[in-house]
Amino acid sequence: MLNGARPGVTAPVSPTATSPEARPYRLRWGTIFAVWSLPALVASYATYVAAETQGHAIPFWRALAMQCPGWFVWVPLTPAVFALARRFPVERRPGMRAIAAHFSLMMLSAVLYTTVFVWSSMVFRPSPLTLSRATVASVFVGSMVMTLVLYAATLATSLVLDDARRDRERDRRTLELEAQL
């Protein structure tokens, strides 16, 4: 017997780097892409219908090309938000570092969205969009509320998935301990 271990009782094994217990959750790019495709398709359809009702019908592919790139900015941002949530947890009273980190990523998200959305609108709009400071500022200010909501929803999803993983792990450990009795 080593270290006072009792015969027939195995010590809990620490998780390895590749075990499910060691990684908080595994994001799959296909899942992330599918999740962000839903609002992209809804926004594209809204653009298509709005153009139709205003008497400026556009092909649906053009509505997709105008809307999807902005939404798909969130595909690579999602793992970044999840990682930041692990590194700087949002608690009841988050510290200034956590607030600054999340605010910085949220602002970066707004800048990326605005840049991509303005570019796709310039390229794919049937009528040319003139690029001006006023246009960019208008889109940026208009996208701030949406960015805040999307960032908060992504952060909340991260927290929920993390809690679910911890619950599953706690249940697994409980079952292992019960089996040892």
Side-chain angles (χ1 to χ4, degrees), residues 35-106:
V35 166
W36 288 111
S37 292
L38 184 62
L41 288 172
V42 170
S44 298
Y45 183 71
T47 299
Y48 175 76
V49 170
E52 183 80 27
T53 58
Q54 294 171 0
H56 305 291
I58 59 172
F60 189 65
W61 72 265
R62 190 176 291 272
L64 285 169
M66 289 169 56
Q67 290 293 330
C68 288
W71 285 97
F72 290 150
V73 162
W74 285 95
V75 172
L77 284 174
T78 298
V81 172
F82 278 36
L84 199 65
R86 288 189 304 272
R87 177 81 169 95
F88 296 100
V90 177
E91 301 162 345
R92 281 193 176 184
R93 301 187 100 170
M96 286 306 293
R97 290 181 68 205
I99 292 170
H102 287 286
F103 181 76
S104 298
L105 185 54
M106 187 189 72

Side-chain angles (χ1 to χ4, degrees), residues 22-27 78-90 102 155 158-159 162 165-166:
R23 58 181 184 254
Y25 28 70
R26 185 171 173 203
L27 296 174
T78 298
V81 172
F82 278 36
L84 199 65
R86 288 189 304 272
R87 177 81 169 95
F88 296 100
V90 177
H102 287 286
L155 183 60
S158 169
L159 298 174
D162 220 17
R165 181 204 46 88
R166 279 194 296 270

Side-chain angles (χ1 to χ4, degrees), residues 74 101-111 144 147-149 151:
W74 285 95
H102 287 286
F103 181 76
S104 298
L105 185 54
M106 187 189 72
M107 292 305 292
L108 175 65
S109 303
V111 168
M144 283 309 299
T147 300
L148 175 62
V149 169
Y151 188 90

Side-chain angles (χ1 to χ4, degrees), residues 13-23:
V13 179
S14 64
T16 64
T18 58
S19 70
E21 298 83 25
R23 58 181 184 254

